[in-house]
Amino acid sequence: MEMSKKILITYATYTGSAETIAGLISSDLESRGFRTSLMPMQEVKDISSFDAVIAGSAIHSGKWLPEAFDFLELFRDQLLTRPFAAYLVCMTMAMKKSEKYLQFVSDFMIPVRQIVTPVSEGHFAGKLEIRRLPSLSDKIKFRISVAAGIWKEGDHINRMEISKWSESLSHIL
Ligand SMILES: Cc1cc2nc3c(=O)[nH]c(=O)nc-3n(C[C@H](O)[C@H](O)[C@H](O)COP(=O)(O)O)c2cc1C
C-alpha cells in the first residue's frame, strides 16, 4: 500500500483569515487520506520531509505579506522540486465577481509566479474586522473604504470554494 503523502500547509496572516483557510484545507485533505502539517511561514525550518507544499498569504496593498516572500525566497530551490500550490486571501474577492476583478486579483500573484510557479492557485475572500486591526491609520483607512461602499466588513470566507480547491488539489499533489 502506498504511504499517505505528507503535505505542508503554511500561511502568512495579519488578522487570521489565511490561517482559518489553511485549517479548512488541512481538514479537507486529511479526510482524503493525506497527512498535513499546519504552520505559520516564519516557523518553517525545513521542508525536505514534505511531498508537497501549499502556501497562502493575506494580501496587503496588492501583494502577499513580506514574510511570505521571505519564505518563497528561502525555500525556492526545494519548492521547485515538489508540487507547490499557492493561495491568496483578500477583500477584492468579496466584491461582485466580474471578469475585471478576477483578473485584477489574479495579477496579485505575478510576483509569486516569478519566484516559483504554483501548480494551482486559490484566490479567496477573507474577513475584514476593522476593530481588530492593530494600527490606527489602518482602522481609519478601512472605515473610510467601508463608508464609501468599497469594502464590506465581516467574514467573507467561503467554505464551499475552499473545499472545491482542496478537492482539486487532492488529484494533483
Ligand atoms: C493594511 C491592509 C491592506 C490591505 N490591502 C488590500 C488590498 O490591496 N487588496 C485587497 O483586496 N484587500 C486588502 N486588504 C484586505 C485583506 O487582504 C483581507 O482583509 C484579508 O482577509 C486579510 O487576511 P488575514 O486575516 O489573513 O490577515 C488589506 C488589509 C489590510 C489590513
Side-chain angles (χ1 to χ4, degrees):
M1 203 183 91
E2 201 197 344
M3 282 270 289
S4 62
K5 285 188 177 154
K6 245 180 102 182
I7 317 276
L8 172 66
I9 305 171
T10 187
Y11 52 86
T13 185
Y14 191 61
T15 56
S17 326
E19 181 179 5
T20 302
I21 291 169
L24 293 168
I25 297 169
S26 166
S27 22
D28 280 337
L29 290 179
E30 294 260 339
S31 74
R32 292 170 190 278
F34 291 85
R35 286 181 297 155
T36 66
S37 291
L38 266 175
M39 220 179 292
M41 289 197 202
Q42 300 101 306
E43 282 177 24
V44 181
K45 299 282 180 273
D46 185 11
I47 64 167
S48 56
S49 65
F50 294 101
D51 298 299
V53 175
I54 303 169
S57 173
I59 293 291
H60 278 195
S61 306
K63 278 169 117 169
W64 264 18
L65 295 174
E67 60 265 37
F69 282 105
D70 290 346
F71 170 85
L72 274 186
E73 299 282 0
L74 190 60
F75 294 107
R76 179 178 178 275
D77 292 348
Q78 284 175 292
L79 290 170
L80 289 169
T81 63
R82 67 203 77 216
F84 167 67
Y87 65 91
L88 62 76
V89 195
C90 72
M91 279 313 288
T92 311
M93 282 305 286
M95 296 163 69
K96 209 157 58 101
K97 291 194 188 65
S98 66
E99 272 306 311
K100 197 180 91 196
Y101 282 133
L102 293 178
Q103 186 56 49
F104 184 72
V105 168
S106 175
D107 287 350
F108 294 162
M109 293 302 268
I110 291 172
V112 173
R113 293 175 201 141
Q114 284 169 346
I115 302 169
V116 186
T117 306
V119 292
S120 176
E121 289 180 14
H123 304 157
F124 303 122
K127 56 190 176 198
L128 180 64
E129 287 173 311
I130 295 174
R131 74 194 155 75
R132 286 191 54 204
L133 294 175
S135 97
L136 181 62
S137 67
D138 282 348
K139 281 196 177 98
I140 295 167
K141 194 168 82 185
F142 285 99
R143 293 252 176 258
I144 293 168
S145 306
V146 169
I150 300 170
W151 286 344
K152 270 193 291 198
E153 249 200 294
D155 187 340
H156 302 277
I157 295 175
N158 182 323
R159 285 162 184 267
M160 274 301 295
E161 284 182 9
I162 293 155
S163 121
K164 255 194 262 163
W165 192 56
S166 307
E167 209 257 308
S168 75
L169 290 181
S170 71
H171 304 295
I172 57 176
L173 294 184

